[in-house]
């Protein structure tokens, strides 16, 4: 009797493998905008520090200047408008990104989504645990446990731009997806833990406004003059409800359709994101940074960061908690799902990327303000801790990434190579039957050009150069 034929085992999923071409194009465009925004964010943060530490009186006066319609409950300070108003635009884009990832990106496949979700969860849980252990041992306040849980994708990309590390597309996509999931959980933290004194009338109005927003989208009503006033109304009602106003931005972003229909080059969500993302990255987030990062950097204030358990917990949470949380979560997810790391990469690359995610600037500053809203002195110290922790994480990531920068550059250049001039990188055309014919024609043209040069050199009595 013949032995039964063994059933072949399914192929192992590739961890951080090559992206499909449309996804690669989307990631490249999104990160290009975020990189420019990250550099502006960095400039705004430095400007805030210089302004606050040289002309502190004027900085405080501008930050505390109030304006807005008082009868609508919106007579807010400049700093408050930046935190609740400008960041609503940022979270709107985050909502669109999340919706797109769920319907067309890495999160649409539950098996593929497991990796960034687990990595992001571990990358938030471990920093919170590090903070908690630090303040329990030191006898501090647990109120700031959520401060080191956030990742700032724009600031991280600015660091990449400064150190000149051109990450291969798989690592860039993983960083973007990680940040999207991270933003989702940060939104949930803000909504659940930093909501108090609910005004149910205003909240009901915001919900009705969101329902109207959804119905207008469903019936494909067009016109910015319809949606912008409605969005502002929803934001104002959400602010007065006691729920943090940025939640309105997320909710509206999640309602946009991000799946493409037949004949569409871009979905409505992708189109609107393309329009709003530059406003978010280039205006909203830098303005928030300008009025949130202005903290005292005197010797006494800096020394206090490493002596108070709350501030030390933030620094350790960002630098150590984020790095080992994301790395450990990624490694465990790969082991339990039997995924195989991309042969072009190493686990050292995942560690470097995890350390880069320790830059928790924008959302960390926002959560710090919410966590210690009744203690201005502690708020400033927490902000200083976020800046120092993000700086240390950036330095650590720079060192780890520079160790592999030649490898990254080689992978990046191989992904970008388009010798046949088709507009599609050659690495994506290798399965195309016409690819080899095009490449053969290119090489034949190069060889013919070399022969002509050799003949001309021989006629002039010059030694011909060797082919490149």
């Amino acid at each position: 009797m013949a032995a039964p034929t063994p059933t072949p085992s399914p192929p192992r999923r590739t961890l951080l493998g090559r992206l499909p071409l449309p996804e690669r194009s989307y990631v490249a465009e999104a990160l290009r905008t975020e990189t420019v925004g990250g550099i502006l964010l960095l400039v705004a943060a430095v400007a805030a520090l210089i302004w606050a530490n040289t002309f502190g009186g004027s900085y405080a006066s501008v930050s505390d200047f109030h304006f807005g319609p008082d009868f609508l409950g919106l007579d807010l300070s400049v700093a408050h408008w930046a935190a609740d108003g400008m960041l609503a635009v940022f979270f709107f884009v985050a909502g669109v990104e999340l919706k797109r990832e769920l319907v067309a990106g890495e999160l649409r496949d539950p098996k593929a989504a497991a990796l960034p979700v687990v990595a992001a969860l571990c990358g938030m849980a471990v920093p919170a645990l590090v903070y908690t252990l630090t303040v329990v041992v030191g006898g501090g306040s647990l109120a700031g446990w959520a401060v080191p849980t956030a990742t700032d994708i724009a600031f991280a990309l600015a660091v990449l731009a400064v150190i000149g590390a051109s990450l291969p597309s798989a690592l860039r996509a993983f960083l973007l997806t990680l940040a999207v999931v991270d933003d989702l959980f940060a939104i949930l933290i803000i909504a659940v833990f930093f909501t108090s004194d609910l005004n149910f009338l205003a909240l009901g109005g915001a919900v009705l406004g969101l329902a109207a927003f959804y119905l207008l989208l469903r019936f494909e009503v067009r016109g910015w003059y319809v949606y912008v006033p409605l969005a502002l109304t929803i934001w104002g009602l959400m602010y007065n409800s006691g729920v943090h106003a940025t939640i309105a931005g997320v909710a509206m972003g999640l309602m946009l359709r991000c799946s493409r229909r037949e004949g569409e080059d871009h979905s409505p969500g992708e189109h609107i994101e393309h329009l709003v993302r530059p406003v978010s990255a280039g205006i909203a987030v830098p303005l928030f940074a300008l009025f949130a990062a202005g903290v005292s950097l005197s010797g006494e204030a800096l020394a206090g960061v490493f002596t108070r358990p709350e501030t030390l917990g933030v620094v350790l949470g960002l630098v150590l908690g984020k790095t080992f949380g994301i790395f450990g979560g990624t490694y465990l997810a790969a082991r339990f799902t039997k995924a195989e790391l991309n042969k072009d990469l190493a686990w050292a690359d995942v560690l470097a990327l995890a350390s880069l995610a320790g830059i928790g600037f924008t959302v960390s500053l926002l959560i710090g303000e919410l966590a210690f809203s009744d203690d201005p002195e502690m708020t400033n110290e927490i902000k200083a801790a976020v800046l120092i922790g993000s700086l240390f994480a950036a330095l650590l990531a720079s060192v780890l990434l520079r160790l592999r920068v030649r490898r990254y550059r080689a992978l990046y250049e191989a992904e970008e190579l388009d010798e046949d001039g088709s507009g599609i990188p050659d690495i994506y055309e290798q399965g195309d039957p016409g690819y080899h014919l095009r490449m053969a024609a290119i090489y034949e043209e190069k060889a013919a050009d070399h022969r002509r040069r050799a003949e001309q050199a021989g006629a002039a009595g010059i030694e011909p150069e060797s082919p490149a």
Side-chain angles (χ1 to χ4, degrees), residues 294-433:
V295 298
S296 172
L297 293 181
S298 64
E300 183 179 346
L302 292 176
V305 170
F306 299 99
T307 55
R308 296 195 66 158
E310 294 90 348
T311 50
L312 182 60
V314 169
V315 173
L316 294 178
L318 288 172
V319 179
L320 300 180
K322 272 288 184 183
T323 301
F324 291 107
I326 291 174
F327 178 81
T330 306
Y331 182 79
L332 290 174
R335 288 296 300 270
F336 282 108
T337 59
K338 297 182 179 180
E340 186 175 27
L341 186 65
N342 184 344
K343 59 182 178 59
D344 292 326
L345 301 172
W347 283 107
D349 301 316
V350 180
L351 182 66
L353 202 69
S355 66
L356 189 66
I359 302 173
F361 188 77
T362 304
V363 180
S364 289
L365 289 175
L366 175 62
I367 294 177
E369 289 183 350
L370 297 174
F372 297 99
S373 58
D374 56 349
D375 188 346
E377 183 179 351
M378 177 60 80
T379 299
N380 284 329
E381 292 182 0
I382 288 293
K383 287 182 178 181
V386 169
L387 294 174
I388 292 173
S390 297
L391 176 61
F392 284 173
L395 292 174
L396 175 62
S398 298
V399 171
L400 295 177
L401 290 168
R402 291 297 295 179
L403 293 175
R404 296 271 291 171
V405 72
R406 289 185 179 179
R407 178 62 176 164
Y408 296 151
R409 188 172 293 121
L411 291 173
Y412 180 80
E413 289 174 355
E415 289 180 353
E416 296 295 318
L417 186 64
D418 182 21
E419 286 198 309
D420 60 354
S422 66
I424 298 175
D426 296 338
I427 199 169
Y428 286 93
E429 296 184 302
Q430 290 174 2
D432 175 11

Side-chain angles (χ1 to χ4, degrees), residues 216-217 219-227 257 261 264 268 271:
L216 289 170
L217 290 172
F219 288 106
E220 300 185 355
V221 175
R222 299 176 181 270
W224 64 268
Y225 46 84
V226 174
Y227 291 100
R257 177 170 63 82
R261 293 175 180 170
E264 287 185 339
H271 176 66

